[in-house]
Amino acid sequence: MGTLRLVLWVAAGLALIGLATANFMLGPNVDERSTTLEAENEPGGPFSLTDHTGRAVTHESFAGKHLLVYFGFSTCPDVCPTTLHVISSALDELGAKAERLQPLFITIDPERDTPAVLSDYLDFDRRILGLTGAAAQIEEAAVGYKVFYRRVEDEGSAMGYTMDHTDIVFLMEPDGGFATFFTSETSPQEMAKALRKAL
């Protein structure tokens, strides 16, 4: 099973940024050794961030709940909004069972994604909690979840730069263990079915 997960993760990374290698940079100052995909190391781990209401939170703030964890950024043109709406629709499908879950949207662009920006961005579904923090805090969380991201300069854009990143939604057990993952290609119905089974 570990080997299968490894293959899936590498394929997702290659498809995302169109490179012929899985040796991506997680951030401008991250040791490349920290981004090594190892089948025996499942995603997850501690984090200390700030939610979109300005409250300091850690992984322990959500004890007893399954987590849906997604890394992205508010100015993402397509993948992030698509994935977040899949999550939102899946929660609708679950009905009352959705209360057992806490969806988290962790920004990979803390320079722009302040708590206020994330609050506005996630206004369409208040069940999804936006998390930001210092660059080092984001890097720590991303390393734990094996998430790859990098800043890409875009002189032709009014934004000045964009972000490449892994397109994976992680389902984590209440004890912090990894359960499964989804992508933006997963339909709300498929996600809801898997979540219902996990819950």
Side-chain angles (χ1 to χ4, degrees), residues 6-185:
L6 175 60
V7 172
L8 289 171
W9 286 57
V10 172
L14 292 174
L16 178 65
I17 63 175
L19 298 177
T21 176
N23 295 319
F24 309 124
M25 289 182 65
L26 180 58
N29 302 309
V30 178
D31 190 321
E32 289 184 3
R33 290 173 297 176
S34 68
T35 67
T36 301
L37 287 175
E38 298 177 1
E40 65 272 20
N41 292 334
E42 292 187 331
F47 58 81
S48 180
L49 298 166
T50 301
D51 73 16
H52 68 239
T53 71
R55 178 184 60 141
V57 298
T58 72
H59 56 290
E60 296 178 339
S61 302
F62 311 104
K65 286 195 171 187
H66 283 77
L67 298 181
L68 275 176
V69 183
Y70 184 65
F71 290 77
F73 62 112
S74 68
T75 55
C76 179
D78 42 35
V79 174
C80 296
T82 296
T83 303
L84 291 173
H85 279 90
V86 166
I87 291 172
S88 180
S89 296
L91 296 178
D92 290 341
E93 293 262 347
L94 286 175
K97 278 192 173 183
E99 296 178 6
R100 303 180 193 176
L101 285 162
Q102 178 56 66
L104 301 177
F105 177 68
I106 302 178
T107 183
I108 54 168
D109 187 15
E111 181 179 332
R112 291 187 291 206
D113 287 344
T114 63
V117 168
L118 290 178
S119 181
D120 288 343
Y121 183 64
L122 297 170
D123 187 57
F124 72 96
D125 193 331
R126 285 304 183 189
R127 294 171 296 186
I128 303 173
L129 193 65
L131 300 182
T132 188
Q137 293 174 303
I138 300 298
E139 288 174 357
E140 180 181 15
V143 167
Y145 277 85
K146 310 282 188 291
V147 166
F148 300 97
Y149 69 91
R150 66 174 183 174
R151 174 170 167 155
V152 179
E153 300 301 325
D154 186 2
E155 296 180 0
S157 167
M159 297 294 182
Y161 69 90
T162 187
M163 305 291 293
D164 279 339
H165 65 97
T166 302
D167 171 33
I168 291 179
V169 181
F170 304 90
L171 175 62
M172 308 302 292
E173 302 283 359
D175 64 2
F178 171 70
T180 189
F181 70 91
F182 312 97
T183 74
S184 59
E185 300 300 317

